[in-house]
Each structure stands twice: as structure tokens, then as C-alpha cells.
Amino acid sequence: MIQEGQDPIAKKRQAQPKTFKDAALELIESKRPGWKNAKHTAQWSSTLEIYAFPSLGRMQVASIQTADVVGVLKPIWNEKPETANRIRQRIEAVLDYAMALGVRTGDNPARWRGHLDHLLPKPTKVRSVKHHPALAHTEIAEFMAELSGRAGVAARALAFTILTAARSGETRGAKWSEINLDAKIWTIPPERMKAGKEHRVPLTDAAMAYLEPKSEDSRLLFESETKPGKPISNMSMTAVLRRMKHDDITVHGFRSTFRDWAGETTGFPREVIAAALAHGIKDKAEAAYARSDLFEKRRSLMEAWSRRAVSTFSSSNVSLLNRSLGNT
């Protein structure tokens, strides 16, 4: 091979089976020096980790067919057309890379023109389905700054919900018995969780700043101002949004804001993000091995979220923040 001008090591490497994930990570590393912004690396890694690797990651890159690619794209094509098209482009790039290495032959099943355009609607023609309209994650710091100046229980509850990525019902029903101030943990019992499973939430200093001084264990964190002993209504936080002239978003939509921020701008693994949202793992084989709630990794994720959402937060302004919310 050397006499013929070939590299035997490269030939051996090409002859070895390669998974889609292997090829994707190699491609990302090869592109990294040419990317001016480090976010490109994080975005490539996170989107493939979240959407492509669960089904394609362990497949031999040489065996991936059109049905496999469509299986990744179809579930999100109508709901998140822009994200889905970026994922398609990245899958196509990975498969092109594999062909250039000589570990794959034939047409690229992720090709759009003349191939997937016959199977999926054009991305620009798809109307994104938004069941819970959400604030763009790029606007979260500005929104939180405005929210911090509003008094009232509902405003505090909304801020706490956003900073913990919780569901509104989980916040409204929260009691002091669920809060460990020393460990900075909020433990939501199974009967209050959508999946019927206990969920631990790491509390950041920014989130804890929206809590009043500790009360009896049986008391609610966010008690109705008009009905003592009762939780705020399910429309109270929505009313705060309306007063802030944000008729275009919902309280639940902030979970999407968190999800988009984490998936698009950070390098946190998808299972950590899913655990933070108390989402179950759809893949049964993967779920069987997911015995940990990844708590410490989730704490790092929530700290990063707090820094992004409350960019001016520091321990020195906790008392100022509490005073602005009407606390003592």
C-alpha cells in the first residue's frame, strides 16, 4: 500500500465498522477549528444528542436508510420545523462525512432535494404547532428583570416556577414540608407529579429569593391573598403575564423556553435536561438503566439557567429583591 502511495493505517480505520455517533463526533471535531463561535459546537452536539442519537447513535453508519432518517424527523417536523430541518442538515453532513471516509456508499438518505422533499412538507410551508406559546430564551433576562419589580404572591410564584422549570400546578400546591432550605432541595411527592413519581428540584439562590421566610410545614409556599390557606388560582400567574402585556405566551410555555435554551445553547446531555423537566424516557431499554435522577448534574444545569435568566442576580441583592416583592 505504501509503495502505491496509500496509507495503510487510514485504510484499516476505514475498514472498521463505525456508528453514526462515532462519525458525528469525529465530524464535529474536524469542524471545530473552523467555527468562529464555540456555540456552533454546543448546538451541533446538543441537537444530535437530543434528537438523532437515541435512534441513530448506535446504528452502523453504513446501514442507515431513509426510513431511519424519517423516523427521527417526522415526530418534530410539524411542531419544530426549523429545528427539524437543522437536524436533517446535520444528519446529511454526518452521512456525507462517512461516505468521504469510505465507510458508507450509495445515496445520502438525508438529502432533501429530489428525495426527502417527496416525503415531508417543505419546512417553510409548515406552521409550527405551539400548544403552549413560549417566550424566546434570548428574552428571558429582560422578562425576569421586569417581573422582579412586580409585587404580589402570583408574581413570586411565576418567578419561582420559571427558575425551577416546574409546572404551574407543582408550584401552586407546594408546601413548606417539601422544602429543605439547608440542602436547597424541593422534593415534590409522587401524588403531585404528572408521572406519579417523586421529583427532586435543586433550588438556586435566585429561586429561593422568591420564597417568604419559612412557615409551618403544612402551609403553602404561595398562598392565596384573598383565601387564606388556599393555593393561588390556576389563572393567577396568567393574569400577571396579561398585566405585563404578554398575551402571546403561557406559564407552561416557560418550560419550553428553558428546554430550548438548554438544548440549543448548552452542552448538557439530553437526559439531564429531560430529568430537570421531570420527563420520562421514551426508550424502554434506556429507561431500564436510568436509575439515577442525575441530581448533581441537574443542579449545575439549574445554576446555569438562573445565571441566564437572572443575569444581574447576586447574593448581595437578595434583600432588595425580596423588598421589591413585598417580603420582609
Side-chain angles (χ1 to χ4, degrees):
M1 287 184 181
I2 293 173
Q3 288 178 346
E4 293 175 359
Q6 300 181 43
D7 184 346
I9 295 177
K11 285 290 184 180
K12 183 177 180 180
R13 187 181 296 120
Q14 290 174 6
Q16 294 174 335
K18 191 182 296 291
T19 66
F20 178 84
K21 185 173 183 178
D22 290 337
L25 296 179
E26 287 179 11
L27 175 60
I28 290 171
E29 283 303 312
S30 70
K31 284 181 171 290
R32 190 193 298 269
W35 282 329
K36 296 180 181 179
N37 194 329
K39 286 185 178 181
H40 286 305
T41 303
Q43 288 169 356
W44 265 72
S45 299
S46 62
T47 53
L48 290 175
E49 178 79 18
I50 293 164
Y51 297 106
F53 289 170
S55 58
L56 301 182
R58 284 181 275 187
M59 291 184 66
Q60 295 300 314
V61 73
S63 65
I64 293 174
Q65 303 297 321
T66 300
D68 302 314
V69 177
V70 172
V72 172
L73 300 176
K74 201 166 185 179
I76 58 171
W77 194 259
N78 292 330
E79 185 179 354
K80 301 178 179 180
E82 292 182 8
T83 298
N85 192 44
R86 282 196 295 270
I87 294 165
R88 182 203 64 77
Q89 292 170 344
R90 288 165 187 173
I91 293 174
E92 183 180 18
V94 172
L95 298 181
D96 277 344
Y97 172 75
M99 285 189 275
L101 287 179
V103 295
R104 179 185 171 85
T105 59
D107 293 333
N108 192 321
R111 188 181 77 254
W112 176 253
R113 189 179 299 277
H115 187 57
L116 289 183
D117 59 352
H118 297 308
L119 302 175
L120 296 168
K122 192 175 182 180
T124 55
K125 299 295 183 182
V126 174
R127 290 187 177 183
S128 179
V129 178
K130 296 182 179 178
H131 300 292
H132 300 287
L135 185 77
H137 64 78
T138 54
E139 301 174 21
I140 189 63
E142 182 180 355
F143 175 87
M144 290 299 290
E146 181 183 356
L147 178 61
S148 68
R150 292 188 169 264
V153 176
R156 287 195 298 110
L158 177 57
F160 184 81
T161 300
I162 293 170
L163 291 172
T164 55
R167 297 179 178 89
S168 60
E170 295 160 5
T171 295
R172 290 188 294 107
K175 295 182 179 180
W176 276 107
S177 59
E178 300 172 3
I179 304 294
N180 185 326
L181 291 175
D182 293 331
K184 298 182 180 180
I185 299 175
W186 172 23
T187 303
I188 310 174
E191 61 270 20
R192 296 209 310 105
M193 290 300 300
K194 183 177 181 180
K197 182 179 178 182
E198 180 183 278
H199 180 54
R200 296 192 301 164
V201 181
L203 296 176
T204 63
D205 288 344
M208 291 178 67
Y210 287 95
L211 299 177
E212 291 184 322
K214 181 172 172 56
S215 185
E216 296 132 10
D217 283 352
S218 60
R219 294 288 297 273
L220 294 162
L221 297 186
F222 304 102
E223 197 172 276
S224 171
E225 294 174 297
T226 58
K227 299 178 180 179
K230 299 292 184 181
I232 58 176
S233 75
N234 60 359
M235 289 302 296
S236 297
M237 288 185 273
T238 299
V240 174
L241 292 176
R242 299 296 175 266
R243 290 194 291 272
M244 294 173 70
K245 307 301 181 185
H246 282 290
D247 297 339
D248 55 332
I249 58 178
T250 66
V251 177
H252 194 87
F254 283 101
R255 283 167 57 84
S256 295
T257 302
F258 168 80
R259 177 68 186 75
D260 291 343
W261 163 81
E264 294 177 11
T265 71
T266 79
F268 285 95
R270 65 181 183 86
E271 60 267 23
V272 175
I273 300 169
L277 291 166
H279 282 168
I281 300 174
K282 294 181 180 179
D283 185 280
K284 293 182 179 179
E286 185 179 354
Y289 290 96
R291 294 187 174 90
S292 168
D293 66 357
L294 304 170
F295 187 78
E296 292 307 320
K297 291 182 179 179
R298 288 195 288 116
R299 186 178 287 285
S300 296
L301 171 62
M302 301 316 293
E303 290 286 357
W305 172 235
S306 285
R307 289 193 296 272
R308 178 66 185 87
V310 192
S311 57
T312 58
F313 181 84
S314 67
S315 57
S316 64
N317 65 14
V318 174
S319 59
L320 175 62
L321 180 59
N322 282 332
R323 285 199 299 273
S324 74
L325 294 166
N327 296 340
T328 55

